Amino acid sequence: MNITIICAAPNKVGRSRRLALLCEERLQALGAETTFIDLHDLNLPNFDNNEIFATEAFNDLHAKVLASDGLVLCSPVYNWGISSELKKFIEYIGATSPDGSQQGALFDKVVSFVNIGGLPHSYTAFREIATALMLDFKCIINPYNVYAHNRHWTEEGELDDVVATRVDKSMQVAKELCDKLAGRNYSSTWEI
């Protein structure tokens, strides 16, 4: 089993990246193989639904996500939603080439959300993209999302016990969902 962590942190030292690395650590402790994709390193070109299918960036990301049983999408919250970099990633990986030779790689994935924001009231910022993933790609959404805000960090810069416990439970549920769905007898494609 492989679970891919997608880190959409805007920099290398922020809290979003620290949470993404903590998720990876917890999943590995549970026995899952992980792949860590840091979108900050990729500098993806704009999505165009045509030429991107021939790019190395697309083909590399597509192969990694296609090989994954589950995804952990880690993003800061901006304007009551996920970051634009994570949205761009989803557009890339979800796209099917015009000739149909490359199917979107998001179908049937178990998806967990890990978000960080400044204030407590943005904890549902992931809901619109969760609904889109569920309806478009038939993703299974982990109900134990993680949301951390400024008050969840100690003065020393450590995550408090409440959110650390939530990370543990979320990653445990993610792995369990991936384990239980590994033998499913269906696969989805574009359909209503």
Side-chain angles (χ1 to χ4, degrees):
M1 172 198 312
N2 182 283
I3 299 177
T4 298
I5 298 99
I6 310 299
C7 178
N11 59 55
K12 292 288 196 177
V13 294
R15 292 176 175 169
S16 296
R17 190 166 202 284
R18 289 175 58 199
L19 270 176
L21 291 168
L22 179 61
C23 291
E24 180 179 44
E25 176 186 304
R26 296 298 198 264
L27 286 166
Q28 289 173 349
L30 292 167
E33 290 184 26
T34 60
T35 301
F36 193 91
I37 298 174
D38 191 339
L39 298 181
H40 186 268
D41 293 338
L42 298 180
N43 194 22
L44 297 174
N46 289 331
F47 177 75
D48 69 1
N49 203 31
N50 186 19
E51 294 176 11
I52 62 125
F53 297 102
T55 67
E56 185 177 336
F58 171 82
N59 289 301
D60 181 52
L61 286 174
H62 188 272
K64 286 177 180 173
V65 172
L66 198 59
S68 299
D69 299 291
L71 302 172
V72 178
L73 303 179
C74 301
S75 171
V77 172
Y78 298 114
N79 300 312
W80 295 88
I82 62 170
S83 73
S84 59
E85 285 303 307
L86 184 56
K87 176 97 169 49
K88 186 191 301 188
F89 168 82
I90 291 168
E91 290 168 351
Y92 257 67
I93 301 310
T96 296
S97 61
D99 66 2
S101 62
Q102 291 174 301
Q103 179 80 1
L106 292 170
F107 288 104
D108 301 325
K109 302 298 180 198
V110 172
V111 177
S112 302
F113 287 92
V114 177
N115 296 113
I116 185 160
L119 298 170
H121 54 270
S122 296
Y123 67 95
T124 61
F126 71 95
R127 74 180 182 263
E128 288 183 19
I129 200 68
T131 301
L133 290 171
M134 190 172 51
L135 296 176
D136 283 349
F137 301 106
K138 311 306 182 251
C139 292
I140 307 298
I141 306 300
N142 180 348
Y144 291 94
N145 66 300
V146 175
Y147 180 72
H149 56 78
N150 286 344
R151 298 176 199 162
H152 288 130
W153 298 87
T154 68
E155 288 181 17
E156 296 78 30
E158 298 300 319
L159 191 59
D160 72 13
D161 291 340
V162 172
V163 177
T165 300
R166 183 67 170 199
V167 170
D168 291 344
K169 185 162 190 176
S170 181
M171 295 306 101
Q172 181 182 354
V173 170
K175 184 177 182 305
E176 187 171 337
L177 286 170
C178 288
D179 285 340
K180 293 193 179 297
L181 291 168
R184 64 183 128 182
N185 294 320
Y186 69 88
S187 63
S188 302
T189 186
W190 290 112
E191 57 190 277
I192 296 181

